[in-house]
């Protein structure tokens, strides 16, 4: 399995490609990582150093990969946080090149826009790009609840609301939608839900809420969901496997009291999760 991953990079900690690449490699995938930014640490700290890379550099790197004759072997493109809206055009160009070389390749887009409590936290133009340009071209999108509501203009209070919002998103293009960090009226206070929808079917998985607030878990979740979706061609199994691994990763991180997710120390969770959560039709 070969995956072109276009995301941010941090020297310290695990978000973006620093959260997605190692789990994919641990599971046996070959990952061609292209970094959209190079920061000292993730922005959740409130201070960081580094720079956002230009769209021209992103396009140049993808062209170099193309010139090696590798794109026909690319099974998927994975994208996440963009430091600037112009990078989105480079990502669209990369997806176009990959699909031209391998029509069976898919694009998993994690539309990083914001979150409940924080609101929109990306630069101007990025939310609109995600909604209007990326979603219609993507095969899989993995918004959190805030991003789902923002992109569809629908308030999500109930499970039916969530499913209606997913259908709205799917009507714009993506076959598969994974909603993370979902809390609806029947979600217990001590739990968190995830919802996947594909071809008119929906599955929900529920995990205990952990006493932890870290960055990068969504990046790992998108990567693992993509991997297992490619592996089994089954979104229900992909949802179960990815959720189980990320829960194990977060549980281990919470036990250690770490500010950063323990991507390396908890790596066995990617291969053999210590606790399995089965997604149920809903």
């Amino acid at each position: 399995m070969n995956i072109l991953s276009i995301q941010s990079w941090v020297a310290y900690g695990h978000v973006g490609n620093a959260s997605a690449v190692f789990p994919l490699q641990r599971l046996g995938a070959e990952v061609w990582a292209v970094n959209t930014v190079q920061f000292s640490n993730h922005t959740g700290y409130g201070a960081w150093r580094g720079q956002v890379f230009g769209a021209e550099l992103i396009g140049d790197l993808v062209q170099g990969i193309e010139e090696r004759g590798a794109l026909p072997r690319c099974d998927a493109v994975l994208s996440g946080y963009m430091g600037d809206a112009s990078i989105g055009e480079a990502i669209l160009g990369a997806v176009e090149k990959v699909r031209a070389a391998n029509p069976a390749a898919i694009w998993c887009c994690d539309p990083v826009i914001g979150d409940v409590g924080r609101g929109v936290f990306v630069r101007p133009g990025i939310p609109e790009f995600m909604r209007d340009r990326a979603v219609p071209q993507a095969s899989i999108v993995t918004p959190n609840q805030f991003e789902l509501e923002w992109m569809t203009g629908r308030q999500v209070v109930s499970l039916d609301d969530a499913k209606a919002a997913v259908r709205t998103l799917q009507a714009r293009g993506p076959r598969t939608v994974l909603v993370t960090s979902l809390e609806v009226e029947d979600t217990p206070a001590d739990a968190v839900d995830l919802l996947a929808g594909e071809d008119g079917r929906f599955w929900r998985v529920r995990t205990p809420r952990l006493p932890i607030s870290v960055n990068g878990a969504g990046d790992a979740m998108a990567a693992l969901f993509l991997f297992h979706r490619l592996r089994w061609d089954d979104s229900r199994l992909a949802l179960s496997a990815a959720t189980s691994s990320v829960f194990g990763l977060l549980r281990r991180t919470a036990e250690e009291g770490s500010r950063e997710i323990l991507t390396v120390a908890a790596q066995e969770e990617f291969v053999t999760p210590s606790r399995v959560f089965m997604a149920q039709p809903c």
Side-chain angles (χ1 to χ4, degrees), residues 82-154:
M82 300 186 307
D84 187 85
S86 65
I87 292 175
E89 298 301 328
I91 293 174
L92 289 179
V95 171
E96 183 178 0
K97 285 178 179 290
V98 168
R99 284 176 166 164
N102 178 14
I106 63 175
W107 176 21
C108 179
C109 173
D110 185 8
V112 180
I113 295 172
D115 205 350
V116 174
R118 296 179 63 188
V120 173
F121 55 65
V122 294
R123 289 185 176 183
I126 293 177
E128 293 78 11
F129 171 85
M130 292 295 188
R131 179 190 63 199
D132 302 332
R133 303 290 307 285
V135 165
Q137 295 296 322
S139 313
I140 301 171
V141 292
T142 62
N144 59 33
Q145 184 169 343
F146 174 86
E147 292 157 348
L148 178 68
E149 291 180 333
W150 194 94
M151 290 191 294
T152 62
R154 287 178 170 270

Side-chain angles (χ1 to χ4, degrees), residues 215-227:
N215 298 70
D219 304 322
M221 184 69 195
L224 291 167
F225 182 81
L226 170 62
F227 176 88

Side-chain angles (χ1 to χ4, degrees), residues 13 22 34 82 86 97 117 132 145 172 189 202 231 234 242 253 266 274:
F22 179 70
V34 173
M82 300 186 307
S86 65
K97 285 178 179 290
D132 302 332
Q145 184 169 343
R172 298 176 188 170
F202 290 89
R231 182 184 188 184
D234 188 315
T253 302
S274 53

Side-chain angles (χ1 to χ4, degrees), residues 182-183 187-193 206-209:
L182 181 64
E183 298 178 39
T187 307
D190 61 351
V192 176
D193 289 341
R206 177 170 292 164
T207 70
R209 181 183 296 276

